[in-house]
Amino acid sequence: MSMTILIADDETEIADLIELHLEKEGYRCLKAADGQDAIAVCDAHVIDLAILDIMMPKHDGYEVTRQIREKHQFPIIFLSAKTSDLDKIAGLVRGADDYVTKPFNPMELVARVNAQLRRSKQFNQSTQTARPVLEAGGLFIYPEERTVFLYGQPIELTPKEFDILHLLARHPKKVFSSEHIFEQVWRETYYEGSNTVMVHIRSLRKKLEEDVHKTKRIKTVWGVGYSFHG
């Protein structure tokens, strides 16, 4: 079965050009002229990869990506006339897997599509063989391998950070006190005034990009402790 690619761009000529080259490669293409339509297509069809223009009517590519990432993990390639390194970094940080600047070589775009789909297939195969796994809204935790992926990208955690995340994620919405977390993870007696757990939680939140994705995975229950919310 051919893979399905969403092309979201309000410039019809560009969308048609991309479609022409991708269909030659055997891909099935669906097109959207604005961000709202792009989200609707993702909800109505099984998409394997999306090519999103950043500057679209109704919802820009960043907002479309945010909403896609709430439900789906397929690769996303941004198209943009913005060419600075800061713009590219901003796109990748917001959840895209690749960034192509306009004007672009259609064959290069096809090559990038092929590369992203190969990578996605390899990742999916590895997740199918690595069980058990904890999954919550784009976050994948593999206890046996002690690895963590966020939207398909590996997250480098220290051993203690992994143990804290694993403990909390195994019991979603359950509130753990700092004392309980410390004694479970460090296997030592907790002492009053220690901010060790707080420091590790702060580092975890940063690595999970909570500010970027506007998602509070680890919530503070003031005066009580911490809980995990996918």
Side-chain angles (χ1 to χ4, degrees), residues 7 9-20 31 53 79 102-104 109:
I7 305 167
D9 198 310
D10 60 326
E11 296 185 67
T12 304
E13 291 183 359
I14 290 179
D16 290 345
L17 177 65
I18 296 171
E19 180 184 34
L20 176 66
K31 291 186 290 185
D53 181 29
L79 284 180
K102 296 179 179 180
F104 59 90
L109 179 59

Side-chain angles (χ1 to χ4, degrees), residues 68-85:
I68 286 175
R69 286 294 181 239
E70 290 179 354
K71 302 177 182 178
H72 310 288
Q73 307 311 318
F74 53 74
I76 294 174
I77 298 176
F78 274 159
L79 284 180
S80 178
K82 298 180 178 181
T83 60
S84 75
D85 289 340

